[in-house]
């Protein structure tokens, strides 16, 4: 089955610790994205990557870092510099073939930092 | 500056009736629009999209209308079913812009049995 997996589903961390969220896709998609969702807010773009070893900041990149060493994987690190890390994090991917802008989303990771 | 606006945070309709979810945008460069449905603690799932060269796209119970002059689009669900109860996000993209999507804040739809 093709799709996007995010792990873990729920993650708890103490304040001051860095934490890495996993995102893997087997859809052979070119581009991958990280969003966060807060209550009453839409999806806000953190980082995105169109190709291996390249990525760009989204609208709210401060306090986050990413890597894209493999086409299938796009992990997100939430650093201690992120002031409000508790949120629901969503990973997405898309293919550039066919001119479609449809992004496919993973199931999300709920991060709670106390 | 919010470029995609879903001004009504919630909507409640009776089962079997029509649900109309509205979305406005400010960026005239947007030329592709999508609707996503999201259940709590899950990722959004794609529902339907429309290109700016069209003013209507239909898929089963779901129809999206685009009014470019008004920078407005709407999602119609007919007939509404209880399983349609979810948060609906409107999203927009600019052709060639790395497939980046700009999302609205979402509308919570409740369909009453």
């Amino acid at each position: 089955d093709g799709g996007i997996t995010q792990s873990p589903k729920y993650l708890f961390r103490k304040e001051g610790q860095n934490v890495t969220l996993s995102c893997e896709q087997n859809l052979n998609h070119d581009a991958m994205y990280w969003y966060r969702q807060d209550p009453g807010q839409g999806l806000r773009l953190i980082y995105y990557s169109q190709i291996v070893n390249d990525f760009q900041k989204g609208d709210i990149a401060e306090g986050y870092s990413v890597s894209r060493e493999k086409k299938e994987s796009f992990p997100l690190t939430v650093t201690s510099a992120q002031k409000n890390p508790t949120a629901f994090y969503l990973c997405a991917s898309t293919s550039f073939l066919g001119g479609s802008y449809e992004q496919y989303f993973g199931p999300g990771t709920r991060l709670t930092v106390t | 500056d919010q470029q995609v606006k879903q001004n009504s945070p919630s909507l409640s309709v009776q089962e079997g009736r029509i649900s109309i979810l509205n979305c406005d945008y400010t960026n005239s460069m947007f030329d592709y629009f999508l609707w996503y449905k999201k259940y709590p603690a899950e990722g959004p799932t794609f529902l339907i999209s429309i290109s700016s060269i069209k003013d209507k796209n239909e898929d089963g119970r779901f129809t999206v209308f685009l009014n470019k002059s008004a920078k407005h689009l709407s999602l119609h669900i007919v007939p509404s079913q209880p399983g349609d109860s979810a948060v609906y996000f409107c999203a927009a993209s600019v052709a060639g812009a790395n497939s980046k999507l700009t999302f609205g804040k979402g509308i919570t739809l409740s369909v009453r049995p």
Side-chain angles (χ1 to χ4, degrees), chain A residues 48-64:
Chain A
Y48 64 102
S49 168
Q50 294 181 277
I51 194 170
V52 173
N53 292 323
D54 188 43
F55 47 83
Q56 288 78 38
K57 292 181 179 180
D59 301 318
I60 54 166
E62 186 175 350
Y64 300 97

Side-chain angles (χ1 to χ4, degrees), chain A residues 9 33 37 42 50 101 103 106, chain B residues 36 38 41 43 93 95 98-99 104:
Chain A
K9 181 70 174 174
Y33 308 80
Q37 184 192 12
Q50 294 181 277
Y101 296 91
Q103 292 183 11
Chain B
Y36 282 84
K38 185 181 180 303
S93 182
N98 309 320
S99 295

Side-chain angles (χ1 to χ4, degrees), chain B residues 15-34:
Chain B
E15 181 179 4
R17 305 295 289 269
I18 183 171
S19 295
I20 300 177
L21 290 71
N22 293 308
C23 178
D24 298 291
Y25 61 96
T26 58
N27 187 345
S28 57
M29 298 296 291
F30 286 146
D31 56 4
Y32 197 84
F33 304 89
L34 308 90

Side-chain angles (χ1 to χ4, degrees), chain A residues 67-104:
Chain A
S67 63
R68 186 89 186 273
E69 296 177 3
K70 298 186 299 182
K71 188 176 184 179
E72 303 79 22
S73 179
F74 191 40
L76 173 75
T77 296
V78 184
T79 76
S80 56
Q82 167 51 230
K83 296 190 182 339
N84 296 296
T86 294
F88 188 56
Y89 290 87
L90 288 157
C91 179
S93 69
T94 192
S95 170
F96 292 139
L97 294 177
S100 169
Y101 296 91
E102 178 186 335
Q103 292 183 11
Y104 294 82

Side-chain angles (χ1 to χ4, degrees), chain B residues 94-110:
Chain B
V94 177
N98 309 320
S99 295
K100 285 174 57 179
L101 296 180
T102 300
F103 285 84
K105 291 189 175 184
I107 301 172
T108 300
L109 173 65
S110 299

Side-chain angles (χ1 to χ4, degrees), chain A residues 1-59:
Chain A
D1 268 316
I4 300 176
T5 57
Q6 292 186 243
S7 60
K9 181 70 174 174
Y10 299 95
L11 194 52
F12 298 87
R13 280 293 182 270
K14 295 289 188 184
E15 197 172 319
Q17 293 178 335
N18 291 355
V19 59
T20 297
L21 283 60
S22 167
C23 177
E24 304 278 332
Q25 55 99 359
N26 59 5
L27 300 167
N28 199 33
H29 282 174
D30 306 289
M32 298 185 74
Y33 308 80
W34 273 106
Y35 297 88
R36 71 176 272 170
Q37 184 192 12
D38 297 282
Q41 298 288 326
L43 280 63
R44 293 185 290 169
L45 182 64
I46 304 172
Y47 266 99
Y48 64 102
S49 168
Q50 294 181 277
I51 194 170
V52 173
N53 292 323
D54 188 43
F55 47 83
Q56 288 78 38
K57 292 181 179 180
D59 301 318

